[in-house]
Amino acid sequence: MATGETGFDDVTYDLVSVQYHALKAGHDYGQYVRDARNAGRDDIADFFEKVMSEDSARAKQCHEFIKELSKSSESGPAVTS
């Protein structure tokens, strides 16, 4: 795997990016759930909770992959140091 200017290989960078966006979106979805509940739309609130749960699982899977890559020299010095 090529290591870019950041010191991270492309795959690790991509995983970190997906993890960040999943976690950030999960934070935002909490407000969406409240908005839907306040509007009396429990069906939409339930949908947002499902999406939030999926993003949480996505972030966790990224974390597991990053841990796995950190045990390998393929990920670059920013992860394996």
Side-chain angles (χ1 to χ4, degrees):
M1 289 186 259
T3 302
E5 294 175 9
T6 63
F8 290 89
D9 68 281
D10 291 341
V11 172
T12 301
Y13 179 90
D14 296 345
L15 286 167
V16 169
S17 180
V18 169
Q19 184 180 41
Y20 167 79
H21 290 289
L23 292 170
K24 183 173 181 334
H27 178 292
D28 296 340
Y29 295 145
Q31 182 62 50
Y32 303 166
V33 170
R34 288 188 294 279
D35 290 346
R37 295 238 187 266
N38 289 338
R41 294 301 309 256
D42 289 340
D43 56 338
I44 296 172
D46 292 344
F47 166 74
F48 288 137
E49 286 175 337
K50 179 180 178 232
V51 172
M52 186 170 23
S53 176
E54 291 168 352
D55 269 342
S56 178
R58 192 171 293 113
K60 183 178 180 185
Q61 182 63 61
C62 286
H63 182 75
E64 294 302 317
F65 283 134
I66 292 165
K67 278 185 1 184
E68 180 184 316
L69 287 173
S70 71
K71 296 174 185 171
S72 164
S73 63
E74 295 178 2
S75 60
V79 176
T80 57
S81 302

